[in-house]
Amino acid sequence: MNFKEVYEGEHVTRKFNNRKIPEKTIAEIIKKAQQSPSLLNSQPWRAYVLMGDALEQFKQASANNVDQGIKPHEDFASMLSLDWDTFPSSNMATMGASQSFFFRNKLNLFAEANKTMFNAPAIVFLTVPKKSPAWSVFDLGIFAQSIMLLAVNRGLGIMPAHSMVSYPDLVRKYARIPEDESVGMAIALGYIDKNAEVNDPVYIPKRVPFDKIYKVTK
């Protein structure tokens, strides 16, 4: 694929089909993503992949937590408890309204897909050392975007989802992540289920007007 196709083709997948991904493919993607820049070449990221039986056990354990009403306790600050600035808050409000309209009667389908972790055959968990400056989170974001674009280039669907790191204790248990690393985010990988209603159509939220984010001083 050329760069324009990859960049414009990046969007989340709400349900994957049952086709498995060769572990070699994921390893090649992660290895290429290592070329991502980082502060002072610190390369603070690590990637832990869950597949097969280990992934199924993790999914079940996470679903059990949800059913029992156990509150999320992310390593990073809880997304919904953050004190957002007015600008992103207004953007999120618009997103929430448009998403509800878009999904209409598909909200239950999305909730179901989210609980099953989108039927993903592989999930990549990304971490940084707990003893890290804030810049490491910026570096982790660059690394994550590299992984997603490389995955799209290989014909894979992607889903970076906050819900998959809601219970970092379970992530550590099943992905064997040391206690001195913060579980930052997760990216589900797989092949898009083109017959799934929840995937139809592709939903791409509107962008903020360009003049709201772009300023030039000469």
Side-chain angles (χ1 to χ4, degrees):
M1 298 174 70
N2 64 44
F3 180 76
K4 182 179 179 180
E5 290 176 326
V6 172
Y7 189 73
E8 294 183 352
E10 184 186 29
H11 60 81
V12 299
T13 295
R14 295 181 290 275
K15 187 174 182 181
F16 301 96
N17 63 27
N18 294 325
R19 181 181 173 187
K20 305 300 182 185
I21 308 173
E23 189 275 329
K24 180 181 179 182
T25 298
I26 298 176
E28 289 172 351
I29 289 171
I30 303 299
K31 186 173 183 179
K32 288 184 178 180
Q34 282 186 279
Q35 297 177 24
S36 302
S38 60
L39 178 66
L40 300 174
N41 196 35
S42 56
Q43 303 177 66
W45 51 69
R46 287 188 179 177
Y48 296 83
V49 181
L50 271 183
M51 306 175 71
D53 291 341
L55 176 57
E56 293 308 310
Q57 292 170 20
F58 169 71
K59 288 181 179 179
Q60 186 59 59
S62 296
N64 290 342
N65 275 10
V66 173
D67 290 339
Q68 295 170 26
I70 298 176
K71 292 184 178 181
H73 44 274
E74 303 92 328
D75 279 352
F76 286 7
S78 176
M79 176 180 67
L80 298 180
S81 68
L82 293 175
D83 184 16
W84 296 89
D85 183 76
T86 303
F87 180 60
S89 292
S90 62
N91 296 336
M92 287 187 289
T94 301
M95 165 66 179
S98 62
Q99 187 179 53
S100 297
F101 174 78
F102 169 79
F103 279 121
R104 296 187 179 93
N105 64 341
K106 297 179 185 178
L107 285 173
N108 289 337
L109 293 177
F110 178 79
E112 180 182 348
N114 188 50
K115 187 175 179 180
T116 61
M117 298 191 182
F118 315 101
N119 196 43
I123 299 177
V124 183
F125 294 95
L126 304 180
T127 74
V128 292
K130 288 182 177 179
K131 189 177 180 181
S132 295
W135 280 109
S136 291
V137 178
F138 178 76
D139 295 338
L140 191 67
I142 297 174
F143 184 56
Q145 176 70 328
S146 294
I147 291 172
M148 291 188 288
L149 289 174
L150 287 163
V152 171
N153 189 54
R154 297 292 291 264
L156 297 174
I158 58 169
M159 171 55 93
H162 168 262
S163 58
M164 294 185 291
V165 296
S166 293
Y167 306 110
D169 51 332
L170 295 180
V171 178
R172 286 191 178 83
K173 175 181 178 180
Y174 290 99
R176 300 180 183 179
I177 298 174
E179 287 292 335
D180 61 353
E181 295 178 31
S182 292
V183 179
M185 65 177 299
I187 303 171
L189 300 176
Y191 294 95
I192 301 171
D193 186 344
K194 297 181 180 179
N195 295 318
E197 184 181 357
V198 73
N199 283 335
D200 183 30
V202 172
Y203 176 65
I204 301 178
K206 291 183 179 179
R207 300 294 107 180
V208 174
F210 187 60
D211 60 4
K212 294 288 186 181
I213 66 127
Y214 182 72
K215 304 294 179 184
V216 177
T217 302
K218 296 183 178 179

